[in-house]
Amino acid sequence: MDTTAQRRFLLINPNTNPLTTQRLQEVLQPLLPLNVQLRVQTARFGAPYIACEASHAVAAHACLDVWTTERGSPQAPLNGVLIGCFGDPGLFALREVSACPVTGLAEASFIQAAALGPFAIVTGGERWKPMLQRLANGLGYGDLLRHIETVAPTGAALQADPDMALRCLGQACQNAAQTGVSSIILGGAGLAGYARLLQDHCTLPLIDSAQAGWEVLLQQQQVIAGPTAHDGFYAPWVGLPEAFSQVPPKGHG
């Protein structure tokens, strides 16, 4: 195998806020190995920042929209897809249709945190709590997720005011550290990079969900020669963009 061949990964920001995309790129770009390209795309439609069930549902569609467009591009096939939202909208759908590994910020963080023992989550937006608990249960980490500490400001508000975010998240991490867990996930695309800034003020390991997403995806990546029978949709489409119909149906064999 030619180890110098470039590997190509796709990071999808399901939020429509380009500043969130920029933050993810700034945090992850220094982590890229040689011969690795990280293509970063922002959702064409949906909410500026996902913070409820409805925006999460639309974001799953937006992720598929980005994937179909990228799949149809003339560039090299993808080696992995990262969903840049701590809630992983569209995770199971993208994993079903894509021939390469797919993970999200939440799943990857759960994987890293579970290796240390029971864990807690700190994130912005009060509506996230039941959504994240359901996701953890669905991914098999429900028993290890012992506490979810949500702060009133949404991830968008925290991203817009770094000083407020550090104060608010710092107190939330201290609260979460008192719940008998082994680590704390600082979850949210807009919170990328904050774990490093807060680590000195917390007695437990802080896991940056964006960094965890990239590290886990890189471990799972594999070389894909091109679209395969495992890469495509089962369903025909009506009324969706042309890129959806250009993806050949997946075989049932």
Side-chain angles (χ1 to χ4, degrees), residues 2-205:
D2 181 6
T3 57
T4 64
Q6 188 175 67
R7 291 173 290 169
R8 180 169 171 261
F9 293 84
L10 173 64
L11 169 61
I12 304 173
N13 173 21
N15 309 278
T16 60
N17 185 351
L19 293 178
T20 305
T21 307
Q22 180 181 342
R23 186 171 191 88
L24 286 167
Q25 191 162 22
E26 288 173 350
V27 169
L28 296 182
Q29 193 67 36
L31 305 178
L32 302 187
L34 294 175
N35 303 315
V36 166
Q37 176 194 3
L38 181 62
R39 182 163 172 79
V40 182
Q41 294 281 50
T42 307
R44 293 191 306 115
F45 55 84
Y49 207 90
I50 301 159
C52 63
E53 295 280 8
S55 56
H56 187 270
V58 172
H61 178 188
C63 283
L64 288 169
D65 176 70
V66 172
W67 179 83
T68 56
T69 302
E70 284 296 308
R71 187 189 184 282
S73 75
Q75 300 186 56
L78 295 171
N79 294 98
V81 178
L82 177 60
I83 301 169
C85 168
F86 193 75
D88 302 358
L91 174 65
F92 301 109
L94 282 168
R95 188 166 284 160
E96 178 185 72
V97 302
S98 180
C100 64
V102 179
T103 192
L105 303 193
E107 181 188 49
S109 298
F110 296 164
I111 290 172
Q112 289 196 346
L116 302 175
F119 59 88
I121 293 172
V122 168
T123 193
E126 295 173 339
R127 291 179 180 269
W128 271 114
K129 186 171 183 177
M131 297 165 63
L132 290 173
Q133 186 65 62
R134 183 179 67 231
L135 179 62
N137 292 343
L139 291 170
Y141 296 98
D143 290 341
L144 287 172
L145 174 54
R146 301 293 172 81
H147 181 73
I148 302 175
E149 184 86 9
T150 60
V151 297
T154 64
L158 293 168
Q159 179 179 316
D161 190 340
D163 291 336
M164 179 272 287
L166 287 172
R167 293 192 302 271
C168 186
L169 295 171
Q171 183 59 57
C173 287
Q174 291 179 24
N175 295 343
Q178 306 304 314
T179 61
V181 295
S182 299
S183 66
I184 300 170
I185 298 170
L186 203 57
L191 306 188
Y194 278 103
R196 175 180 56 81
L197 299 176
L198 291 169
Q199 185 60 79
D200 289 344
H201 305 284
C202 186
T203 57
L204 296 178

Side-chain angles (χ1 to χ4, degrees), residues 217-234:
L217 183 63
L218 198 59
Q219 292 167 359
Q220 295 176 346
Q221 71 91 27
Q222 59 192 38
V223 177
I224 304 298
T228 71
H230 302 289
D231 180 15
F233 293 115
Y234 283 105

